[in-house]
Amino acid sequence: MNQYKVFYGEYTLKHWIDLILKKDIILPPYQRSFVWSKERTSGLIKSLEEGFFVPPVIIASLSMNNKWENYILDGQQRLTSVLLRYLNIFPDEDKFKDTGNDALANDNDDEEEEDSDNINILNWTLRDIQDAIQNREKENILKNLMKSGKYKEFDINTLNSEFFEKTCLPFAYIKPTQDSENDQVRYYSSVFRRINTGAQSLLPLEARASMYWLNKDFKDFFQPVLFKQIKTNTKVTDFARYMSILAEYDHLKRGNKNISLLARGFRYKMETYIENFIYHTIGDKPSTTFTEFKSIFPSNQYQDKINYLKEDIKYAGVPEKLQSIVDADYYLFGLIYFVLFENKRIDTNKVNNLDKDIKQAISDAKEKEKRQPAALKYLTSRVKKSIEIYGRYIKDEHK
């Protein structure tokens, strides 16, 4: 039996705007920031003016904490563009400049993500307007927003109100036929990820955010503030990557299996590999590839160990700005492994030569690896060598 019913139809742009302003439709917690430029927003409006087909907005009805809410599952960029053009404003890019927190360092040390030149990311969403609304009258909304100094006029030509009252945008409305909140969240998370597979590429942290929604207790684990502060090749160092690789390394080690099997088959699919680990951790899709999360963090209590790791990163002298993924791997794999997996700490009385040993290993590796740092044989080598180095500088037991 189908657990969901889907209804189809269309609303005028004015009705969509009213739904937004009344907060009858809202963004899920994981939805990405606004990424459309003024040019693309204008392109949508032109398509609507000329009667071209525009894909439907997908709205999902979800029961959260005994309250039904309607989430914009797909179509945030379209609806936001319609609202901005209705108000004839656009967020000031300088005021809402993205901090780069969604850009993760990758295994190839690439400076830019594919198609990054076509993505205009603002640290801003539809929520910013909804949160600022005190009165749904257009004039009052504009007054409050423009008073903040964070918005600019969109165009010198204001669109005729008739355009919004007569132009329609289609929708698909998904309504669950069962009441389990967990089942609903799991389903919608899956739908969101499937929808965005063929759309403008989500950045890794954006794509993963829908998975964290499945178990909110783990969001702070996978995105610790500590690792947002450590930059690799100007990008955020990816803690989930290190945890997934080390969780498999630990599993192979416990089973006396060949470490060369590490991440086997995932050279070009590392994001899928990390996603598998995340699903495994939150309990949605247990995997035999990784050590059980509770074996690493009994009772899923991880914060104390993360705090110890923060201290030992300082003791080990890990730079906040790392030149490449190779540098990051030698500085971090061994340290994370001993503190989080082995319950051991840096011996502050022995660290004098630690930085020298790591830098030598980095130098040797870069000469050997050249432009193929993503090769699994090199990844495995970095994991083993980093652990070997740190093994000389740790205390016998965690205290």
Side-chain angles (χ1 to χ4, degrees):
M1 179 179 176
N2 195 336
Q3 295 182 324
Y4 297 86
K5 291 184 177 180
V6 183
F7 303 89
Y8 301 93
E10 62 180 15
Y11 290 141
T12 65
L13 300 184
K14 184 60 171 62
H15 187 68
W16 281 115
I17 292 166
D18 289 340
L19 291 174
I20 295 169
L21 298 183
K22 289 188 294 184
K23 301 181 184 178
D24 284 343
I25 55 174
I26 59 176
L27 294 176
Y30 55 77
Q31 268 282 19
R32 77 186 311 178
S33 298
F34 187 61
V35 299
W36 279 17
S37 64
K38 287 181 66 175
E39 290 72 24
R40 187 162 185 182
T41 295
S42 296
L44 171 71
I45 299 301
K46 185 175 182 180
S47 294
L48 290 167
E49 285 181 308
E50 296 178 357
F52 287 107
F53 172 75
V54 173
V57 172
I58 301 178
I59 303 295
S61 179
L62 176 64
S63 175
M64 296 288 285
N65 302 318
N66 297 317
K67 178 183 177 182
W68 286 94
E69 294 184 307
N70 296 314
Y71 286 103
I72 304 169
L73 206 62
D74 184 59
Q76 179 207 164
Q77 311 297 326
R78 277 159 277 164
L79 291 179
T80 303
S81 295
V82 168
L83 179 62
L84 290 175
R85 198 63 186 88
Y86 169 74
L87 296 173
N88 201 32
I89 60 172
F90 200 83
D92 188 328
E93 295 181 15
D94 292 331
K95 299 295 193 306
F96 293 102
K97 190 174 183 180
D98 181 66
T99 60
N101 286 341
D102 283 339
L104 292 172
N106 58 58
D107 291 279
N108 284 315
D109 272 335
D110 295 333
E111 289 288 347
E112 300 291 344
E113 299 289 343
E114 185 179 0
D115 295 331
S116 63
D117 289 341
N118 298 322
I119 301 177
N120 181 44
I121 303 173
L122 299 179
N123 188 19
W124 181 90
T125 69
L126 188 62
R127 250 183 244 106
D128 288 79
I129 289 182
Q130 289 181 314
D131 290 345
I133 293 174
Q134 297 176 354
N135 183 305
R136 293 200 298 271
E137 292 297 323
K138 181 177 180 180
E139 292 74 15
N140 288 324
I141 295 172
L142 278 172
K143 181 180 178 180
N144 288 332
L145 293 176
M146 297 305 288
K147 185 169 61 176
S148 71
K150 295 181 178 181
Y151 297 85
K152 295 181 178 180
E153 187 179 47
F154 192 105
D155 197 299
I156 57 173
N157 299 311
T158 302
L159 288 174
N160 191 300
S161 60
E162 188 175 327
F163 165 74
F164 296 96
E165 293 167 356
K166 293 189 175 181
T167 306
C168 293
L169 185 61
F171 67 82
Y173 181 68
I174 306 174
K175 178 78 174 179
T177 57
Q178 43 76 42
D179 298 327
S180 169
E181 179 178 318
N182 287 337
D183 287 345
Q184 291 175 38
V185 168
R186 185 174 291 106
Y187 175 76
Y188 288 139
S189 173
S190 173
V191 171
F192 172 79
R193 294 175 64 74
R194 290 171 186 269
I195 288 170
N196 283 280
T197 298
Q200 187 175 49
S201 298
L202 294 174
L203 298 174
L205 281 182
E206 295 172 329
R208 295 176 195 171
S210 65
M211 292 187 287
Y212 303 153
W213 199 32
L214 298 175
N215 192 326
K216 304 179 188 70
D217 293 339
F218 288 99
K219 181 180 179 181
D220 291 337
F221 172 76
F222 289 113
Q223 295 179 304
V225 174
L226 166 64
F227 271 70
K228 290 183 180 181
Q229 297 169 346
I230 302 174
K231 303 292 184 181
T232 300
N233 193 13
T234 73
K235 298 180 181 180
V236 175
T237 300
D238 190 355
F239 179 70
R241 170 182 176 270
Y242 287 95
M243 282 302 303
S244 58
I245 292 169
L246 287 173
E248 184 180 11
Y249 172 87
D250 187 67
H251 181 70
L252 292 171
K253 181 183 175 184
R254 292 186 187 206
N256 294 314
K257 296 181 180 179
N258 192 338
I259 303 302
S260 65
L261 296 174
L262 194 63
R264 178 64 61 88
F266 286 93
R267 177 182 177 185
Y268 300 107
K269 299 181 290 184
M270 186 54 69
E271 187 59 29
T272 300
Y273 177 81
I274 296 170
E275 289 174 5
N276 291 346
F277 172 70
I278 293 173
Y279 278 127
H280 167 76
T281 299
I282 63 179
D284 198 60
K285 296 178 182 177
S287 170
T288 58
T289 300
F290 311 101
T291 294
E292 287 291 329
F293 192 80
K294 289 183 179 180
S295 296
I296 310 167
F297 304 101
S299 301
N300 289 344
Q301 298 301 308
Y302 56 81
Q303 194 56 57
D304 284 346
K305 284 191 178 184
I306 295 295
N307 291 337
Y308 293 141
L309 179 61
K310 181 178 181 180
E311 292 177 0
D312 280 10
I313 281 177
K314 180 179 178 181
Y315 295 147
V318 178
E320 287 193 356
K321 294 183 179 180
L322 296 159
Q323 293 183 358
S324 72
I325 198 71
V326 177
D327 297 65
D329 285 356
Y330 279 103
Y331 271 107
L332 294 172
F333 269 129
L335 186 56
I336 295 172
Y337 181 72
F338 280 112
V339 176
L340 301 189
F341 289 79
E342 293 288 320
N343 296 319
K344 296 181 179 181
R345 300 290 303 276
I346 287 285
D347 189 336
T348 55
N349 296 317
K350 296 180 180 179
V351 294
N352 291 343
N353 292 319
L354 173 59
D355 192 60
K356 178 182 177 182
D357 286 353
I358 292 176
K359 286 179 177 176
Q360 183 60 57
I362 291 170
S363 177
D364 294 343
K366 286 184 176 179
E367 178 63 29
K368 182 188 299 183
E369 297 178 19
K370 299 297 183 184
R371 292 301 299 169
Q372 292 181 308
L376 292 182
K377 63 178 180 180
Y378 295 140
L379 173 64
T380 302
S381 176
R382 294 198 295 271
V383 173
K384 292 169 64 176
K385 185 65 177 178
S386 178
I387 291 174
E388 176 192 321
I389 292 172
Y390 275 99
R392 302 196 290 266
Y393 296 96
I394 51 93
K395 298 177 184 178
D396 292 334
E397 59 183 270
H398 172 66
K399 295 182 179 179

